[in-house]
């Protein structure tokens, strides 16, 4: 299970930090620039209004390349319907924690992203934090491939052992039959 940074994830942590007295003198963009996760602000129609610098690391697009574009246009086609549904739930006032979907990066590769999002009713915007889980997904898939390979090896070895037991049993049966019938065989010669 992923580590949960409090009830509201990264956004709750950021809000708590910004409320501290010494943080009042630090411009919020200085804090946002340090985050490894991308902070995104989008309009109702998914038009991107703001993304933090981490957006480029995750999606491959510099902030200035995506401002004014629709976030939905970057979503992997197979995930578009469920993503739109989740966005609507956020706009209906549901806090979104740990929604996962895929995006097509600028270079055409796929980014697996876990989102935390909330609706800002006074601003009519969705505020979201994107956490890149692509490497984790790759490792899980690799572990699954290794597990399946090991299961195949175990089945193969089990079959080989069963064949050996069957061959031994057959050999023992033949030897017992010969031994039991040896007097008759010798008398025949």
């Amino acid at each position: 299970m992923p580590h949960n940074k409090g009830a509201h994830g990264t956004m709750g942590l950021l809000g708590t930090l910004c409320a501290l007295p010494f943080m009042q003198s630090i411009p919020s963009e200085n804090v946002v620039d340090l985050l490894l996760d991308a902070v995104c602000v989008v309009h109702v129609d998914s038009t991107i209004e703001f993304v933090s610098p981490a957006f480029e690391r995750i999606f491959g697009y510099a902030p200035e390349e995506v401002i004014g574009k629709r976030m939905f246009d970057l979503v992997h086609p197979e995930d578009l319907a469920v993503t739109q549904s989740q966005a609507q739930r956020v706009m209906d006032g549901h806090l979104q924690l740990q929604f996962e979907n895929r995006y097509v990066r600028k270079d055409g590769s796929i980014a697996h992203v876990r989102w935390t999002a909330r609706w800002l009713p006074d601003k009519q915007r969705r505020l979201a934090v994107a956490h890149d889980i692509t490497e984790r997904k790759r490792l899980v898939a690799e572990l699954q491939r290794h597990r399946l390979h090991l299961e195949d090896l175990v089945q193969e070895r089990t079959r080989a052992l069963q064949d050996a037991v069957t061959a031994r049993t057959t050999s023992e049966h033949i030897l017992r039959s010969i031994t039991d019938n040896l007097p008759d065989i010798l008398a025949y010669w």
Side-chain angles (χ1 to χ4, degrees), residues 5 8-14 32 35-41 52 54-55 58-59 71 96-99 113-118 126-132:
K5 302 176 194 107
H8 302 293
T10 304
M11 289 186 292
L13 176 63
L14 193 56
V32 171
L35 297 175
L36 295 176
D37 293 345
V39 177
C40 307
V41 177
S52 65
F55 191 92
I58 297 171
F59 299 95
M71 193 72 176
Q96 176 59 62
L97 299 173
Q98 303 191 27
F99 169 68
V113 179
R114 177 181 296 128
W115 291 96
T116 303
R118 73 171 35 195
R126 284 192 319 269
L127 171 63
V129 176
H131 180 71
D132 188 356

Side-chain angles (χ1 to χ4, degrees), residues 102-123:
R102 296 169 293 171
Y103 283 77
V104 179
R105 289 183 172 131
K106 184 177 180 179
D107 67 5
S109 64
I110 303 300
H112 293 264
V113 179
R114 177 181 296 128
W115 291 96
T116 303
R118 73 171 35 195
W119 179 242
L120 304 173
D122 55 327
K123 307 284 188 210

